[in-house]
């Protein structure tokens, strides 16, 4: 618990906003973040689909009209950053500016437009930044990162905090559209031939996770969610099973994009690129045989920021870092959240309930988030907490874990009946996490009438399982707390575990 304690007790040192301007082959984007931290949170996000990389593969030049659009966007972003009082702006350029003969002239004009020096990333640098973005966004990632932009595809191996050597290939959506002359069959041959020249990356993918980075693949995932009527419209951490993914990707390649469910959520400028993104992902799945495809909302931009953190901050758990930040910002007594982590841990151990590392991380995060809805009207605290957590900007968290966290705090406010919450989020959590969420909520429902969300009380009132009973020990000066409400909450926990519950006055 030391790491959690340090996170929750420390001051929230985020500082002034920082921003990334990403000059890509398809879009020019500004993302401003709350500050430089382990759990970066966007405060503003805007993109302009300029299509800088369109026709570069065949003409070797950036299109003049695309350049004009990009320069106007950069001038706008400069004003927006001034308005937000951004402390640091990092401007990145990738494949289109790197490959075009008029790229250097464009970069000079772009630097004048945004008022900042521009870092032109090589293919290897772009691959490394994408991998660092996945490390920033996932807990202990293991597999191959694939970042598909408009001009190129980068592949790089990642394992824990280690990044392998990356490779870049001209398999971006715009590049493929250009090289194939708009023929999907020809694009498929180009993709297959190119990927077969990078066998070590695909061989290393067998049985591991493929982390899909890039706007086209996120758009495909959004359509996949719509087609499957998926209950949680959050991209980061969304998992696509390979067999199901292949069926869907073939549908995207063969169907008129206008017929795809929820196609309106994809910008018109990106829709023509969906089929090319589907072709590349299909071939990666066929050749690489990953165990799953994980969609990452974290990529080059977040990787650049992650690289600027000190080693100690980089080593922090991204989920617990985000939960600690919210605990500090929204809880009545942040230290109470830390004590709740310790108090529930004592009970879980005394009960003899096995806890994996995954279970422990989720339980600790839930304890840190337990009080973030206290300002809401009492009738809506459960619902508001559920929405804040289920749709929050968390990293290092899969979708079942999101459902568990949201359900834990919902049941804490609304009672333990599973009938009170949507079946869709219960299905997302699965039976095991649903029951663990009810158990943790039952513990929270005992902790809060004792502590009233204030620090210093729970350590005096341990709850343990002993000799087949649930025992709450209260010191004499806290004996008046042992009223019907508290005993009712204890009975609720006992019913859940099929055990008797008693209060001992020490």
């Amino acid at each position: 618990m030391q790491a959690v304690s340090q996170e929750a007790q420390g001051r929230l040192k985020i500082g002034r906003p920082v921003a990334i301007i990403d000059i890509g082959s398809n879009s020019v984007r500004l993302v401003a973040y709350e500050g430089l931290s382990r759990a970066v949170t966007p405060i503003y996000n805007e993109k302009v689909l300029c299509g800088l990389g369109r026709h570069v593969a065949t003409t070797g030049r950036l299109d003049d009209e695309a350049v004009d659009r990009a320069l106007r966007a950069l001038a706008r972003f400069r004003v927006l950053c001034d308005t937000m009082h951004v402390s640091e702006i990092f401007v990145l350029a990738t494949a289109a500016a790197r490959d075009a003969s008029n790229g250097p002239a464009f970069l000079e004009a772009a630097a004048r437009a945004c008022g900042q020096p521009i870092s032109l990333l090589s293919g290897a640098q772009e691959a490394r930044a994408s991998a660092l973005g996945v490390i920033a966004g996932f807990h202990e990632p293991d597999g191959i990162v694939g970042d598909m932009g408009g001009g190129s595809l980068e592949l790089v191996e990642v394992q824990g905090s280690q990044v392998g050597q990356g490779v870049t290939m001209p398999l971006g959506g715009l590049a493929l559209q250009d090289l194939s002359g708009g023929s999907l069959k020809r694009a498929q041959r180009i993709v297959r031939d190119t990927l077969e020249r990078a066998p070590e990356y695909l061989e290393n993918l067998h049985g591991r996770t493929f982390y899909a980075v890039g706007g086209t693949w996120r758009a495909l995932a959004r359509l996949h969610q719509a087609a499957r009527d998926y209950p949680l419209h959050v991209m980061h951490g969304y998992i696509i099973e390979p067999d199901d993914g292949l069926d869907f990707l073939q549908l995207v390649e063969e169907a008129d994009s206008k017929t795809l469910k929820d196609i309106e959520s994809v910008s018109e400028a990106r829709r023509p690129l969906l089929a090319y993104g589907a072709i590349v992902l299909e071939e990666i799945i066929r050749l690489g045989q990953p165990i799953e495809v994980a969609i990452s909302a974290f990529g080059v931009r977040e990787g650049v920021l992650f690289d600027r953190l000190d080693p100690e901050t980089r080593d922090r758990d991204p989920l617990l870092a985000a939960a600690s930040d919210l605990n500090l910002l929204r809880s009545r007594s942040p230290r109470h959240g830390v004590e709740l982590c310790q108090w529930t841990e004592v009970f879980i151990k005394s009960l003899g309930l096995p806890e994996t590392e995954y279970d422990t991380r989720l339980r600790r995060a839930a304890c840190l988030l337990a009080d973030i809805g206290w300002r809401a009207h009492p009738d809506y605290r459960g619902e508001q907490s559920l929405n804040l957590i289920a749709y929050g900007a968390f990293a290092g968290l899969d979708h079942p874990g999101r459902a568990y966290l949201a359900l834990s705090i919902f049941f804490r406010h609304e009672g333990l009946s599973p009938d009170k919450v949507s079946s869709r989020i219960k299905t997302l959590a699965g039976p095991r996490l649903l029951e663990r969420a009810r158990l943790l909520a039952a513990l929270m429902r005992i902790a809060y009438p004792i502590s009233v969300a204030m620090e210093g009380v729970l350590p005096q009132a341990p709850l343990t399982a002993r000799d087949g009973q649930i025992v709450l020990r209260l010191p004499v000066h806290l004996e008046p707390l042992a009223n019907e409400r508290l005993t009712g909450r204890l009975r609720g926990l006992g019913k859940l575990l099929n055990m008797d519950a008693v209060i001992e006055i020490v």
Side-chain angles (χ1 to χ4, degrees):
M1 285 306 301
Q2 184 180 4
V4 176
S5 300
Q6 288 173 347
E7 289 169 359
Q9 291 181 78
R11 295 182 60 192
L12 191 59
K13 295 181 179 178
I14 289 177
R16 289 171 58 193
V18 297
I20 297 276
I21 296 175
D22 185 357
I23 304 171
S25 300
N26 193 33
S27 65
V28 176
R29 184 186 291 267
L30 164 68
V31 185
Y33 300 87
E34 186 179 23
L36 191 61
S37 72
R38 183 61 181 88
V40 290
T41 303
I43 58 174
Y44 188 77
N45 190 329
E46 181 179 322
K47 70 177 177 184
V48 179
L49 290 167
C50 300
L52 280 169
R54 197 177 303 278
H55 308 309
V56 168
T58 52
T59 69
R61 289 181 54 83
L62 302 173
D63 179 76
D64 290 340
E65 186 179 342
V67 166
D68 288 341
R69 283 200 300 271
L71 294 177
R72 289 197 300 271
L74 292 171
R76 170 177 166 77
F77 293 167
R78 179 178 185 174
V79 175
L80 292 175
C81 287
D82 288 343
T83 302
M84 290 183 285
H85 304 292
V86 169
S87 60
E88 287 187 279
I89 305 171
F90 306 96
V91 189
L92 318 172
T94 52
R98 188 169 64 228
D99 299 336
S101 61
N102 58 339
F106 164 71
L107 291 177
E108 287 183 15
R112 290 193 297 270
C114 65
Q116 299 290 331
I118 297 176
S119 297
L120 178 61
L121 302 184
S122 68
Q125 289 172 324
E126 192 173 351
R128 179 177 181 273
S130 295
L132 290 176
V134 168
I135 291 171
F138 290 84
H139 181 63
E140 297 294 332
D142 179 49
I144 300 294
V145 177
D147 185 352
M148 183 182 180
S152 62
L153 168 72
E154 281 72 41
L155 295 177
V156 59
E157 185 174 8
V158 63
Q159 187 171 35
S161 61
Q162 301 302 309
V163 177
Q165 191 71 29
V167 64
T168 184
M169 292 168 280
L171 296 181
L174 292 173
L176 270 177
Q177 187 181 47
D178 198 7
L179 290 169
S180 67
S183 166
L184 296 182
K185 287 186 178 180
R186 188 177 178 194
Q188 192 171 47
R189 289 196 298 271
I190 293 170
V191 171
R192 190 168 295 161
D193 292 344
T194 306
L195 287 176
E196 286 177 351
R197 292 199 294 271
E200 67 276 17
Y201 292 93
L202 298 178
E203 288 171 5
N204 289 340
L205 180 55
H206 289 195
R208 300 166 74 192
T209 299
F210 180 71
Y211 298 94
V213 178
T216 298
W217 282 341
R218 286 196 299 273
L220 285 171
R222 188 176 299 112
L223 297 177
H224 185 268
Q225 287 185 340
R228 302 299 184 264
D229 196 27
Y230 190 73
L232 185 63
H233 295 172
V234 172
M235 285 299 104
H236 188 67
Y238 180 59
I239 299 296
I240 299 176
E241 301 298 329
D243 290 343
D244 182 39
L246 287 174
D247 292 341
F248 175 74
L249 293 169
Q250 288 170 2
L251 173 65
V252 173
E253 294 166 32
E254 296 167 2
D256 183 342
S257 65
K258 295 177 183 177
T259 66
L260 296 174
K261 186 177 180 182
D262 203 33
I263 189 64
E264 296 80 9
S265 66
V266 180
S267 65
E268 289 190 18
R270 194 181 290 282
R271 291 177 197 175
L273 303 181
L274 291 174
Y276 298 98
I279 288 170
V280 175
L281 188 53
E282 180 185 353
E283 290 304 314
I284 287 173
I285 292 173
R286 288 191 187 280
L287 296 171
Q289 300 178 26
I291 193 172
E292 63 185 9
V293 175
I295 304 301
S296 177
F298 285 53
V300 169
R301 293 181 292 273
E302 291 74 19
V304 167
L305 296 181
F306 181 80
D307 202 26
R308 293 184 64 83
L309 298 174
D310 62 78
E312 183 180 356
T313 303
R314 284 200 298 267
D315 287 343
R316 292 176 64 189
D317 185 310
L319 171 60
L320 296 180
S324 295
D325 288 350
L326 277 172
N327 179 42
L328 286 163
L329 289 167
R330 289 181 172 267
S331 298
R332 284 169 282 191
S333 173
R335 176 65 195 174
H336 177 269
V338 177
E339 292 178 350
L340 187 60
C341 293
Q342 298 163 338
W343 189 80
T344 56
E345 186 163 320
V346 167
F347 180 80
I348 295 295
K349 286 183 176 178
S350 72
L351 188 63
L353 182 66
E355 234 187 13
T356 65
E357 183 211 4
Y358 178 77
D359 297 331
T360 301
R361 293 178 67 243
L362 291 182
R363 177 178 55 77
R364 291 176 176 175
C367 289
L368 294 171
L369 296 170
D371 201 37
I372 64 171
W374 73 271
R375 289 182 182 272
H377 187 282
D379 291 349
Y380 299 100
R381 284 177 186 158
E383 181 180 344
Q384 185 174 89
S385 297
L386 185 146
N387 288 332
L388 281 171
I389 295 168
Y391 306 113
F394 292 105
L397 181 63
D398 60 14
H399 284 204
R402 278 181 180 270
Y404 164 88
L405 294 180
L407 288 169
S408 297
I409 314 308
F410 178 87
F411 290 139
R412 179 235 145 165
H413 288 291
E414 302 294 334
L416 303 180
S417 172
D419 297 334
K420 293 184 176 183
V421 71
S422 163
S423 61
R424 292 162 63 85
I425 194 165
K426 289 187 292 187
T427 300
L428 186 60
R432 180 178 178 275
L433 286 182
L434 173 62
E435 288 310 306
R436 293 190 86 101
R438 294 178 69 211
L439 172 60
L440 183 59
L443 296 175
M444 291 176 179
R445 287 173 65 79
I446 294 167
Y448 278 88
I450 299 170
S451 63
V452 291
M454 293 294 112
E455 65 178 271
V457 181
L458 288 181
Q460 303 179 59
L463 181 73
T464 56
R466 191 180 70 202
D467 300 327
Q469 283 188 320
I470 297 166
V471 181
L472 174 64
R473 303 182 73 201
L474 293 178
V476 172
H477 71 277
L478 296 181
E479 182 177 4
L481 298 178
N483 64 351
E484 292 182 359
R485 185 181 187 216
L486 183 58
T487 55
R489 298 283 177 88
L490 277 165
R491 282 196 300 270
L493 175 62
K495 184 177 179 181
L496 204 61
L497 296 173
N498 196 26
M499 297 171 67
D500 293 329
V502 297
I503 297 176
E504 286 185 358
I505 306 302
V506 181

